[in-house]
Amino acid sequence: MSYEKLQLQPLFDTIDELKPKFIERLQKAIAIPSVSGDETLRPKVVEMAHFLVKELTTLGFADIELRELGIQPPPVTDPKLELPPIVLGRFGKDPKKKTVLVYGHYDVQPALKEDGWSTEPFTMFHDEVKDILYGRGSTDDKGPVLGWLNVIEAHNKLGWELPVNLVVCFEGMEESGSLGLDELVAQESKKYFKEVDQVTISDNYWLGTTKPVLTYGLRGCNYYQIIVEGPGADLHSGIFGGIIAEPMTDLIKVMSTLVDSIGKILIPGVSDMVAPLTDKEDALYDAIDFSVEELNAASGSKTSLHDNKKDILKHRWRYPSLSLHGIEGAFSGSGAKTVIPAKVIGKFSIRTVPNIVSKTLDELVFKYVNDEFKKLGSLNKLKIELIHDGAYWVSDPFNESFTAASRATQDVWNVVPDFTREGGSIPITLTFERELGVDVLLLPMGRGDDGAHSINEKLDVSNYINGCKTLGGYLHYYGKA
Amino acid sequence: MSYEKLQLQPLFDTIDELKPKFIERLQKAIAIPSVSGDETLRPKVVEMAHFLVKELTTLGFADIELRELGIQPPPVTDPKLELPPIVLGRFGKDPKKKTVLVYGHYDVQPALKEDGWSTEPFTMFHDEVKDILYGRGSTDDKGPVLGWLNVIEAHNKLGWELPVNLVVCFEGMEESGSLGLDELVAQESKKYFKEVDQVTISDNYWLGTTKPVLTYGLRGCNYYQIIVEGPGADLHSGIFGGIIAEPMTDLIKVMSTLVDSIGKILIPGVSDMVAPLTDKEDALYDAIDFSVEELNAASGSKTSLHDNKKDILKHRWRYPSLSLHGIEGAFSGSGAKTVIPAKVIGKFSIRTVPNIVSKTLDELVFKYVNDEFKKLGSLNKLKIELIHDGAYWVSDPFNESFTAASRATQDVWNVVPDFTREGGSIPITLTFERELGVDVLLLPMGRGDDGAHSINEKLDVSNYINGCKTLGGYLHYYGKA
Ligand SMILES: [Zn+2]
Ligand SMILES: [Zn+2]
Ligand SMILES: [Zn+2]
Ligand SMILES: [Zn+2]
């Protein structure tokens, strides 16, 4: 794919020059333990919002706002706990330019040194030998959020005009369910976000550790629970075993009919809804840098259901899967407890893909589960319900923004990025697409081994700095397209 | 069954006379919160032992000992926590008389008013309208323990000689696994317990609420766990769903093959080991006071697997059953968690009956589970293990002690007792039978609705007082037999 190269070398050189300052900016951000899931740290989450406001102000952003989202709904310890605000800002308002909204989150996952971190999680550690920055939030998502700010700083220093109008939308509750975000995006779609032509999210990761990727698809997830109940209370298996119908027996029987040991969904009609694989889509998998060995390394086992890269990726990205997660209400401790649980709730979910219709899927699942239960002739009662429903997302990897991002990536990394999808969901992607009616691009900065939600979360300096170049370059290619 | 009646009326009258004193004795005992499962209450358990020693001393027992059992093994908060002592005592040592050992426990289950008790659990409440004594330990097992002491007091008051030598063995850890008891019984079998001809335990309950019972059998319990493991750590179902073999899928499949929804054990060979039902045994079930409605009331549901009394009782007492208890390592909370658990441990147990050979059962279970797993063609690993093994117990309901107890019951209650078994196990029964090589009789005092381990535990005054008469009468009939 040849293309007309833009003259971005001065921008890239300036970003290199500013590297120490950019690393210092990340260090300051990591030092604020903005853990949204820990109520006692809520003031730190708010402090992080103010940190961003200060940075945006210094860089020359306009219309900077802290949007309050009100009281956090239960369950909370403090019934008056305020949600952290959403930070909005605008850089440029030229009607002749396209407007890109960039989304990121400034809250982080919990982290304690005692969890097994090699260094203090909220004190950035720069391993200068490996050139890696360690710390909670380094890759998820403070590095990428600051990446956009770094791009502006480099433009300011160069005296370059930004090739697009930029709108930033940074939230502080992403790691805790993005409470309040959907409503804000809906409200502002015709107001603050009115001119937005495109949304770019940098909050996912490369597939592996060496090759940049652009992400154009996410699976959805329909999460179900099967409730089986019989006795009025938990019973002792010595006294009641053999004389009453046990809910666990029925639940386990029904759960056993959902999927087989090689991952095939046994509910009729589900696979029929899956979009056929086109040659064009199939070809996209050829180039991708991945292997069975990488999967084995990631799962810590040799339990891959497929023996080749393409099948693995297709089953992760474009085919549905069904996982049995667990059972609520049954004995779950260690040791031996001779209980007959009175009410058990089996949990399973189906990862959805084009063109599965969520409602039709629910109907197929409900019918099948009820039919399987009827076959048992049990005296217990069964109920099945959908408890969560997140749609899948697929974009066109050959559209303007993906093409722009691909060119920027090639300029920076000297390689055509892999076009990937993800097995999991990023609900905010769908919110922006639906509410603003524009394309969304997922443009990750970090590597697949960054350990976003684990101990020793890190961001390679090369990913941080080249990531800034890629974000900046992307805005130029997109602005010219 | 006609028999030569002994002249026990003076004993029964004396017990009636002493009723206020016996109730006061129980009141004092209930007031000591001897909860063995609560480390902070351990001094109260010890206090309860000393209370018994004082009572035994006053009544004229000899060789009274508090046998220390050493430090309680982990898990404990206080690594130096001493086990409560076993109280031993002897009343009479006449070589011409038979010697009966009576076992009971002076510790109780935890109880808090906040659990839902109508009155303070450790302050005995005498409902004089219903003539019921409420309080933790009233029926389990302080009432029965004091019953034996009351029998001695009545003899003392009458100036009657006890028709047998009595040995008491009261432990303080029954509700917490009877730690140390097995060892003590084994040690003393040729010493303190050398002359013992018979062991009587009053620590279970009538089947219902109106008819006295004698208990001649208990099911055993073999408890198994199936461990399935694959990935090195828990995985996210979005990323790994559909591409790796999931341990939960395999475990649920294997667990689903163990038992069907009408309680039939599907493991070949298990039912073949069950002792055939003789006409004589079958006839025992005819007289028993029980109904489907009573089972429904007890289970709080209409999920009885059998539509008649005899089948219910046979399946509770003389047929094996298999219960699925739960899964360790899977998601067990409320809500939706999209985890693929890396290692899951399924728990199930089989209630055993004559003539199931425990070792053979293990072999059948292990082979079957491994075969069923192999059929799945899974890449995960499965292991099955036995984690607890308690033997069943059956005695001859027509032997000397049962006959004596039956006659005493008829004298007191004017009805032939039901000969019952129990679905659960009372391990100490087997310990005494095995270590002393003598018959054991289970002679309950309380009713089926006493709520031994629940809130509002109670003992009807009629059961307490008539229970004392039955215990006393039993010693006379047994002594003469
Ligand atoms: Zn994130
Ligand atoms: Zn995250
Ligand atoms: Zn007891
Ligand atoms: Zn008990």
Side-chain angles (χ1 to χ4, degrees):
Chain A
M1 299 197 237
S2 79
Y3 59 94
E4 196 188 333
K5 257 191 153 173
L6 296 180
Q7 292 311 314
L8 298 173
Q9 201 53 48
L11 176 64
F12 297 165
D13 290 343
T14 307
I15 288 172
D16 281 329
E17 268 174 55
L18 288 168
K19 180 162 91 174
K21 185 148 185 219
F22 293 169
I23 291 175
E24 197 195 328
R25 178 173 277 139
L26 184 56
Q27 182 178 29
K28 283 182 192 160
I30 288 171
I32 303 169
S34 52
V35 179
S36 56
D38 182 342
E39 286 186 37
T40 66
L41 289 173
R42 186 57 53 88
K44 292 291 169 185
V45 186
V46 175
E47 182 183 330
M48 185 64 204
H50 287 277
F51 170 86
L52 288 172
V53 166
K54 204 172 142 235
E55 296 288 307
L56 294 173
T57 307
T58 309
L59 291 167
F61 274 74
D63 301 344
I64 299 168
E65 295 187 29
L66 283 177
R67 285 296 179 89
E68 296 301 336
L69 301 172
I71 301 294
Q72 182 167 333
V76 278
T77 307
D78 174 5
K80 292 184 170 171
L81 188 72
E82 298 266 358
L83 287 166
I86 285 176
V87 178
L88 299 178
R90 198 188 290 289
F91 197 90
K93 220 181 168 175
D94 184 341
K96 295 189 299 294
K97 289 179 188 168
K98 289 193 252 187
T99 300
V100 173
L101 181 149
V102 303
Y103 161 88
H105 63 90
Y106 62 83
D107 63 319
V108 297
Q109 284 279 324
L112 293 170
K113 179 87 159 62
E114 304 89 89
D115 296 340
W117 284 72
S118 302
T119 56
E120 286 297 335
F122 295 106
T123 304
M124 193 188 81
F125 171 66
H126 185 171
D127 180 335
E128 308 218 354
V129 178
K130 295 181 179 162
D131 217 15
I132 293 177
L133 308 169
Y134 289 92
R136 176 55 88 223
S138 53
T139 195
D140 180 21
D141 188 36
K142 289 178 174 175
V145 161
L146 299 185
W148 296 110
L149 275 52
N150 297 342
V151 166
I152 303 296
E153 179 160 4
H155 279 80
N156 288 349
K157 182 162 187 194
L158 272 172
W160 278 17
E161 204 180 311
L162 205 64
V164 297
N165 302 315
L166 199 71
V167 170
V168 298
C169 173
F170 299 141
E171 72 157 322
M173 278 300 276
E174 197 276 342
E175 301 293 4
S176 302
S178 289
L179 301 176
L181 183 68
D182 278 20
E183 295 77 1
L184 181 118
V185 175
Q187 273 167 31
E188 298 303 325
S189 64
K190 299 279 169 281
K191 297 184 205 164
Y192 204 105
F193 301 156
K194 193 175 154 209
E195 315 292 343
V196 170
D197 297 297
Q198 208 280 332
V199 172
T200 301
I201 300 175
S202 186
D203 188 25
N204 68 317
Y205 311 94
W206 296 356
L207 184 59
T209 57
T210 54
K211 205 168 167 196
V213 314
L214 302 176
T215 304
Y216 70 97
L218 302 165
R219 291 198 291 186
C221 183
N222 283 22
Y223 201 109
Y224 302 96
Q225 62 184 16
I226 302 172
I227 305 163
V228 183
E229 46 189 330
D234 285 1
L235 301 174
H236 189 277
S237 68
I239 304 173
F240 292 93
I243 62 172
I244 63 137
E246 302 189 14
M248 266 295 272
T249 305
D250 299 332
L251 178 64
I252 294 277
K253 290 265 181 219
V254 171
M255 288 178 84
S256 78
T257 66
L258 298 172
V259 62
D260 73 13
S261 288
I262 55 168
K264 190 181 161 209
I265 297 175
L266 303 174
I267 302 164
V270 176
S271 346
D272 302 342
M273 288 193 284
V274 176
L277 180 72
T278 63
D279 290 347
K280 196 176 171 190
E281 186 196 334
D282 188 71
L284 275 179
Y285 293 92
D286 288 317
I288 295 175
D289 198 22
F290 196 69
S291 68
V292 180
E293 289 66 39
E294 272 178 85
L295 171 58
N296 287 344
S299 80
S301 66
K302 291 187 175 172
T303 60
S304 172
L305 294 173
H306 311 284
D307 62 5
N308 66 85
K309 173 184 82 176
K310 286 181 74 171
D311 279 339
I312 292 172
L313 295 178
K314 286 176 196 168
H315 281 274
R316 172 180 282 179
W317 297 343
R318 61 120 41 235
Y319 289 118
S321 64
L322 191 155
S323 295
L324 305 173
H325 304 295
I327 298 173
E328 181 184 348
F331 175 47
S332 61
S334 61
K337 187 178 174 189
T338 53
V339 66
I340 296 175
K343 179 180 176 180
V344 284
I345 306 175
K347 314 282 180 108
F348 71 98
S349 67
I350 297 177
R351 293 285 160 178
T352 58
V353 296
N355 298 320
I356 288 177
V357 180
S358 179
K359 276 222 151 178
T360 310
L361 179 64
D362 295 347
E363 283 159 19
L364 291 172
V365 169
F366 292 0
K367 178 175 169 14
Y368 180 77
V369 165
N370 280 308
D371 286 353
E372 289 299 313
F373 179 66
K374 269 183 213 116
K375 283 186 199 167
L376 302 178
S378 171
L379 295 159
N380 293 314
K381 289 192 189 75
L382 176 142
K383 199 169 72 183
I384 171 153
E385 50 195 34
L386 175 81
I387 57 172
H388 170 82
D389 174 345
Y392 56 79
W393 170 76
V394 186
S395 184
D396 171 10
F398 305 103
N399 73 13
E400 271 187 3
S401 56
F402 276 89
T403 302
S406 172
R407 288 174 182 178
T409 305
Q410 289 177 66
D411 282 5
V412 175
W413 293 96
N414 290 311
V415 65
V416 180
D418 284 341
F419 286 84
T420 64
R421 289 160 70 159
E422 293 211 353
S425 55
I426 305 178
I428 186 61
T429 311
L430 282 148
T431 303
F432 281 112
E433 187 181 76
R434 185 183 61 238
E435 298 298 340
L436 307 191
V438 301
D439 285 334
V440 179
L441 163 71
L442 301 187
L443 177 49
M445 176 181 271
R447 301 184 186 184
D449 68 348
D450 280 355
H453 289 192
S454 316
I455 58 167
N456 300 323
E457 179 182 346
K458 59 95 176 167
L459 179 64
D460 294 77
V461 171
S462 61
N463 279 59
Y464 185 42
I465 299 304
N466 284 341
C468 293
K469 294 176 189 171
T470 307
L471 298 181
Y474 156 67
L475 295 180
H476 281 269
Y477 278 102
Y478 182 70
K480 289 274 159 35
Chain B
M1 299 195 234
S2 78
Y3 59 94
E4 195 187 335
K5 259 192 155 176
L6 297 181
Q7 291 312 312
L8 299 172
Q9 202 53 49
L11 176 64
F12 298 165
D13 292 343
T14 307
I15 288 172
D16 281 329
E17 270 173 53
L18 288 167
K19 181 162 91 174
K21 184 147 185 219
F22 292 168
I23 291 175
E24 195 195 328
R25 180 173 276 140
L26 184 56
Q27 183 178 27
K28 284 183 193 158
I30 287 171
I32 303 169
S34 52
V35 179
S36 57
D38 182 341
E39 286 187 37
T40 65
L41 290 174
R42 187 58 51 90
K44 293 291 170 186
V45 185
V46 175
E47 182 184 330
M48 185 64 204
H50 287 277
F51 170 86
L52 288 172
V53 166
K54 203 173 142 236
E55 297 289 306
L56 294 173
T57 308
T58 309
L59 291 166
F61 274 74
D63 300 346
I64 298 167
E65 294 187 29
L66 282 177
R67 284 297 179 86
E68 295 301 336
L69 301 172
I71 301 294
Q72 182 166 335
V76 278
T77 307
D78 172 6
K80 291 182 170 173
L81 188 73
E82 298 266 357
L83 287 166
I86 285 175
V87 178
L88 299 178
R90 198 188 291 287
F91 197 91
K93 221 182 167 176
D94 184 343
K96 294 188 298 292
K97 290 180 187 166
K98 290 193 250 187
T99 300
V100 173
L101 182 149
V102 302
Y103 160 88
H105 62 91
Y106 63 82
D107 63 319
V108 296
Q109 285 278 325
L112 293 171
K113 179 86 158 62
E114 305 88 88
D115 295 341
W117 284 71
S118 302
T119 56
E120 285 297 334
F122 295 105
T123 303
M124 193 188 80
F125 170 67
H126 186 172
D127 179 334
E128 308 217 356
V129 179
K130 295 181 178 163
D131 217 15
I132 294 177
L133 308 169
Y134 289 93
R136 175 55 88 222
S138 53
T139 195
D140 181 21
D141 187 34
K142 288 178 175 176
V145 161
L146 299 186
W148 296 110
L149 274 52
N150 298 342
V151 166
I152 303 296
E153 180 161 3
H155 280 80
N156 288 349
K157 182 162 187 193
L158 272 172
W160 278 17
E161 205 180 310
L162 205 64
V164 298
N165 303 313
L166 200 72
V167 170
V168 298
C169 174
F170 299 142
E171 71 158 322
M173 279 299 278
E174 198 275 343
E175 301 294 4
S176 304
S178 288
L179 301 177
L181 182 70
D182 277 18
E183 295 75 1
L184 180 118
V185 175
Q187 272 167 32
E188 298 304 326
S189 65
K190 299 278 169 284
K191 297 184 205 162
Y192 204 106
F193 302 154
K194 194 175 154 208
E195 315 294 342
V196 170
D197 297 297
Q198 208 281 334
V199 171
T200 301
I201 300 176
S202 186
D203 188 25
N204 66 316
Y205 311 94
W206 294 357
L207 183 58
T209 57
T210 54
K211 204 167 167 198
V213 314
L214 301 177
T215 304
Y216 69 97
L218 301 166
R219 291 197 292 188
C221 183
N222 282 22
Y223 202 110
Y224 302 95
Q225 63 184 15
I226 302 172
I227 305 163
V228 183
E229 47 189 328
D234 285 359
L235 301 174
H236 188 278
S237 69
I239 305 174
F240 291 93
I243 62 173
I244 64 138
E246 302 189 15
M248 267 295 272
T249 305
D250 299 334
L251 178 63
I252 295 277
K253 290 265 182 219
V254 171
M255 287 177 85
S256 78
T257 67
L258 298 171
V259 63
D260 73 13
S261 288
I262 54 167
K264 191 180 160 208
I265 297 175
L266 303 174
I267 303 163
V270 176
S271 346
D272 302 342
M273 287 194 284
V274 176
L277 180 71
T278 62
D279 290 346
K280 195 176 172 189
E281 187 196 333
D282 188 70
L284 275 180
Y285 293 91
D286 288 316
I288 295 175
D289 197 21
F290 195 68
S291 68
V292 180
E293 289 66 39
E294 272 178 85
L295 171 59
N296 287 344
S299 79
S301 66
K302 290 186 175 174
T303 61
S304 173
L305 294 173
H306 312 284
D307 61 5
N308 66 86
K309 172 183 85 177
K310 286 181 75 172
D311 279 340
I312 292 172
L313 295 177
K314 286 176 196 167
H315 281 274
R316 172 180 281 178
W317 297 344
R318 61 119 41 235
Y319 289 117
S321 64
L322 191 155
S323 295
L324 306 173
H325 304 295
I327 298 174
E328 180 183 349
F331 175 47
S332 61
S334 62
K337 188 178 173 188
T338 53
V339 65
I340 296 175
K343 179 180 177 180
V344 283
I345 306 176
K347 314 281 179 105
F348 71 99
S349 68
I350 298 177
R351 294 284 159 178
T352 58
V353 296
N355 298 318
I356 289 177
V357 180
S358 179
K359 276 221 149 179
T360 311
L361 179 65
D362 296 346
E363 283 159 18
L364 291 172
V365 169
F366 292 0
K367 179 176 171 10
Y368 180 77
V369 165
N370 281 305
D371 286 353
E372 289 298 313
F373 179 66
K374 267 184 213 117
K375 283 186 198 166
L376 302 178
S378 171
L379 295 158
N380 293 313
K381 288 193 188 76
L382 176 142
K383 201 168 71 183
I384 170 152
E385 50 196 34
L386 175 79
I387 56 172
H388 170 82
D389 175 345
Y392 55 79
W393 170 76
V394 187
S395 185
D396 172 9
F398 306 103
N399 73 14
E400 269 187 5
S401 55
F402 277 89
T403 303
S406 172
R407 289 174 181 177
T409 304
Q410 290 177 66
D411 282 5
V412 175
W413 294 96
N414 290 312
V415 65
V416 180
D418 284 341
F419 287 84
T420 65
R421 289 159 72 159
E422 293 210 354
S425 54
I426 305 179
I428 186 64
T429 312
L430 283 148
T431 303
F432 281 113
E433 185 180 77
R434 187 183 61 239
E435 297 299 338
L436 307 190
V438 300
D439 284 334
V440 178
L441 162 70
L442 302 188
L443 178 48
M445 175 180 273
R447 301 185 185 183
D449 67 349
D450 280 355
H453 289 191
S454 317
I455 56 167
N456 301 323
E457 179 182 344
K458 59 94 175 166
L459 179 63
D460 294 77
V461 171
S462 61
N463 279 60
Y464 186 41
I465 299 304
N466 284 341
C468 292
K469 294 176 190 172
T470 307
L471 298 181
Y474 156 67
L475 296 180
H476 283 269
Y477 279 103
Y478 181 69
K480 290 270 157 42

